[in-house]
Amino acid sequence: MASTANFPSTFITLPNFSKTCRGSIFRKKKLFNFVSKKVVSCKANNADTSVNRFDRRDILLGLGGSLYGATSLVRDPFALAAPIAAPDLSHCAEATVQPTGGVSTTMGVDCCPPVSTTITDFIPPSVRKIRYRPAAHLVDSRYLKKFEEALRLMRELDKDDPRSFMQQANVHCAYCNDAYPQTLFPSQPIQVHNSWLFFPFHRLYLYFFERILGKLINDPDFAIPYWNWDSPSGIMPEIYVGSNSPLYDSKRDLSHLPPSLVNLNGGKDNDLSRERQIKCNLNLMYREMVRTKIPSLFFGKAYRAGSTADPGAGSVEGGSHIAVHIWVGDKEEPYHEDMGNFYSAGRDPIFYAHHANVDRMWNIWKTLPGKKRRDIDDSDWLDSAFLFYDENKNLVRVKVRDCLDSRALGYDYQSVDIPWLGSKATPRRRGRDPRRRPPSGRAPGQAMAAEINNTIAFPIVLDKVVRFEVPRPKKSRTKIGKKDDEEEEEVLVIENIQLDKDAPVKFDVCINDDDDEDDGKPVGPEDSEFVGSFTNLPHGHGQPGAKLTTTLTFSISDLLEELGIEGEDNIVVTLVPQEGEGLVSIGNVKIDYIRD
């Protein structure tokens, strides 16, 4: 494609694009005229005035705000790529945080950054030596003193300085609570969660945060710590607890301070013994990291320009990541601040240690066995772009392709034991037939409290435990003679999950969980029959009742072998509401095969 690097990088939003079929695309200081039929498609449904329904490939402008191949655009608009472009900061809007947990009022939050007229493209750093991010529970007093001084200086910066602590916290709010509209698709916000943007956005966010801290203490080798909550000793690091420290945040769940062990299963607190909680945590990490072998299941579903947000989270994002946010956030606060809500999560210094460990999972995942454990090679992912202010207050446009290798950015992680690598769950009873009538006497809310319902008609409101058979596609399922990169992954897909964005919802998913053992103990993460969970972290924006529509996908190939049912034509799926009963609907449940 022709280079357009000399074009201005900022667009003027068209005032009423659904009525704008005039063949002109406006920019600040420049007007380009093209043939209308070749550039702008007016395929909008006039009956639906709430959403501008254009074919995004007809009208897309390119990466980071540049016109993407003007010559090619006129000749073949359907050949355009569709990465999410970096936002126009001048179009940032107030984020509206919706009620949580019975609060009846909305709250407006101004989390827009200062606007700069100059944007520079990211240049990879010249790495003279690797900065190693330390495990937070292992840091010494010398490091802690330096870290506290850096954060103190960041907190003392002028509130309008884009490097200040509140401005840095607002970065997360703006990208996560829908403050930025997509370029040319103003009805669609930019949302970096529940999609393949999750890992690269947060990696880059922490990179610039870390560089700012290092600049403030004149130490270019400074590295932020990570909280390895995936460890059996996954308690909140002590360095964040002292109330006189700049690392402290008052809006945390006081019952979860050390020595309380983190619950990586999310939702409400449970009454598990410490030993069983450790086992569950390790089993959950095994599911998210070892059993998840292909990119789309690890990173999340594709999210392209013009698309609706929240197509589907990857395994870590939807699992342990959300669980830690909920576990740390203060449920006595009206919006579960700070960590318990996207808009405020960055206001807690522990957020950055939490996400450093999430970022560490990306590094670890790519080192695990299997040829498919690689970064996504789709250009729409690689060329998606974000804007961040760097340590010198320069506004920088950076793309996903710039952050695939943390060592190329100059940092890596201190090595610690990874005990979950071998923590495979065990079946409660291998090969049992789940179609027989479940035993009576189960406690309310347990997975076995419902009989199989093969007359279920989707969509359903999940207000009770439901169990139903799901047919497996008729195709060859054998792995004999197939290479690793030729195998398709069998997946369980829960489609069209709908709920209010602010709703605290959690439900568990089990497969063939029929069992009358263990004195009625419900299926849990330490059992192979437990597939995973859906958990929502409140992130409302806009009008009350704003809906989240998403998809949940689990890898089940290994699971079916563990259960001894890989030859079955049907499996029994159980959905168990744990929180927010009746607040979520399910559009469909199916089994599919995918190969990334």
Side-chain angles (χ1 to χ4, degrees), residues 157-168:
L157 290 174
D158 185 86
K159 64 181 180 62
D160 294 325
D161 189 322
R163 305 169 303 162
S164 69
F165 183 75
M166 186 55 74
Q167 289 287 353
Q168 286 296 300

Side-chain angles (χ1 to χ4, degrees), residues 48 68 94 99 127 148 172 197 230 235 240 285 305 342 407 415 461 473 476 481 498 505 508 580:
D48 182 3
Y68 194 20
E94 183 180 75
V127 179
E148 289 183 333
H172 197 258
L197 293 187
D230 57 302
I235 64 173
Y240 291 91
M285 292 307 303
F342 280 162
R407 293 181 70 88
S415 294
V461 174
S476 174
Q498 290 195 350
V505 166
D508 296 336

Side-chain angles (χ1 to χ4, degrees), residues 444-460:
Q446 292 184 355
M448 302 313 313
E451 297 187 31
I452 294 173
N453 179 4
N454 281 334
T455 64
I456 192 168
F458 290 101
I460 62 170

Side-chain angles (χ1 to χ4, degrees), residues 179-204:
Y180 294 130
Q182 290 188 32
T183 303
L184 285 187
F185 299 95
S187 65
Q188 297 290 353
I190 296 174
Q191 170 57 260
V192 296
H193 290 92
N194 296 318
S195 79
W196 65 7
L197 293 187
F198 171 77
F199 274 104
F201 166 80
H202 287 88
R203 168 168 287 185
L204 290 165

Side-chain angles (χ1 to χ4, degrees), residues 27-255:
R27 295 168 169 244
K28 289 179 179 178
K29 302 181 181 179
K30 209 133 186 175
L31 171 66
F32 297 93
N33 292 304
F34 298 110
V35 180
S36 174
K37 291 185 293 183
K38 293 293 184 180
V39 179
V40 180
S41 171
C42 291
K43 298 176 183 177
N45 180 354
N46 292 331
D48 182 3
T49 60
S50 63
V51 178
N52 297 324
R53 300 185 182 277
F54 293 95
D55 188 314
R56 59 185 170 81
R57 301 254 175 195
D58 283 359
I59 60 175
L60 278 176
L61 298 188
L63 313 180
S66 299
L67 186 63
Y68 194 20
T71 304
S72 299
L73 177 64
V74 177
R75 183 173 62 251
D76 185 8
F78 293 96
L80 289 173
I84 297 292
D88 182 341
L89 300 189
S90 67
H91 293 167
C92 183
E94 183 180 75
T96 305
V97 183
Q98 296 300 333
T100 299
V103 178
S104 60
T105 58
T106 61
M107 177 177 63
V109 179
D110 180 7
C111 50
C112 295
V115 176
S116 173
T117 57
T118 302
I119 299 174
T120 61
D121 286 309
F122 180 76
I123 299 175
S126 178
V127 179
R128 58 186 184 86
K129 74 174 186 177
I130 298 298
R131 306 186 306 276
Y132 283 92
R133 293 178 175 174
H137 69 287
L138 296 178
V139 302
D140 58 24
S141 58
R142 181 180 178 185
Y143 173 89
L144 179 58
K145 182 178 179 180
K146 182 181 294 187
F147 183 28
E148 289 183 333
E149 174 67 5
L151 202 57
R152 182 186 64 79
L153 291 171
M154 180 182 273
R155 288 184 181 276
E156 291 176 354
L157 290 174
D158 185 86
K159 64 181 180 62
D160 294 325
D161 189 322
R163 305 169 303 162
S164 69
F165 183 75
M166 186 55 74
Q167 289 287 353
Q168 286 296 300
N170 283 344
V171 170
H172 197 258
C173 173
Y175 275 103
C176 308
N177 275 67
D178 306 345
Y180 294 130
Q182 290 188 32
T183 303
L184 285 187
F185 299 95
S187 65
Q188 297 290 353
I190 296 174
Q191 170 57 260
V192 296
H193 290 92
N194 296 318
S195 79
W196 65 7
L197 293 187
F198 171 77
F199 274 104
F201 166 80
H202 287 88
R203 168 168 287 185
L204 290 165
Y205 180 22
L206 266 61
Y207 170 80
F208 287 103
F209 179 82
E210 181 176 75
R211 298 288 291 177
I212 293 168
L213 291 176
K215 176 79 171 185
L216 291 173
I217 57 174
N218 195 29
D219 182 1
D221 298 326
F222 177 77
I224 60 175
Y226 69 95
W227 170 15
N228 61 321
W229 34 252
D230 57 302
S231 164
S233 57
I235 64 173
M236 187 181 297
E238 293 281 355
I239 65 174
Y240 291 91
V241 176
S243 59
N244 294 324
S245 169
L247 308 183
Y248 178 74
D249 185 77
S250 62
K251 296 180 180 180
R252 294 178 187 152
D253 189 325
L254 296 180
S255 68

Side-chain angles (χ1 to χ4, degrees), residues 186-350:
S187 65
Q188 297 290 353
I190 296 174
Q191 170 57 260
V192 296
H193 290 92
N194 296 318
S195 79
W196 65 7
L197 293 187
F198 171 77
F199 274 104
F201 166 80
H202 287 88
R203 168 168 287 185
L204 290 165
Y205 180 22
L206 266 61
Y207 170 80
F208 287 103
F209 179 82
E210 181 176 75
R211 298 288 291 177
I212 293 168
L213 291 176
K215 176 79 171 185
L216 291 173
I217 57 174
N218 195 29
D219 182 1
D221 298 326
F222 177 77
I224 60 175
Y226 69 95
W227 170 15
N228 61 321
W229 34 252
D230 57 302
S231 164
S233 57
I235 64 173
M236 187 181 297
E238 293 281 355
I239 65 174
Y240 291 91
V241 176
S243 59
N244 294 324
S245 169
L247 308 183
Y248 178 74
D249 185 77
S250 62
K251 296 180 180 180
R252 294 178 187 152
D253 189 325
L254 296 180
S255 68
H256 292 162
L257 298 180
S260 180
L261 184 65
V262 68
N263 171 21
L264 295 184
N265 194 28
K268 297 177 180 178
D269 283 339
N270 53 49
D271 57 356
L272 300 184
S273 67
R274 191 173 187 85
E275 180 181 6
R276 188 180 173 200
Q277 184 66 70
I278 289 173
K279 180 175 173 56
C280 287
N281 286 349
L282 297 178
N283 292 151
L284 286 162
M285 292 307 303
Y286 182 93
R287 284 180 174 85
E288 294 177 11
M289 296 289 289
V290 180
R291 185 177 284 166
T292 304
K293 301 176 181 178
I294 60 178
S296 64
L297 298 182
F298 180 74
F299 289 100
K301 291 190 176 298
Y303 175 43
R304 310 177 198 275
S307 300
T308 304
D310 303 299
S315 57
V316 173
E317 180 188 1
S320 54
H321 157 255
I322 290 289
V324 174
H325 271 281
I326 292 173
W327 190 79
V328 176
D330 187 355
K331 296 173 183 59
E332 299 300 317
E333 290 290 329
Y335 304 93
H336 295 181
E337 290 94 340
D338 276 330
M339 280 279 282
N341 200 301
F342 280 162
Y343 97 89
S344 56
R347 298 179 182 183
D348 188 338
I350 208 170

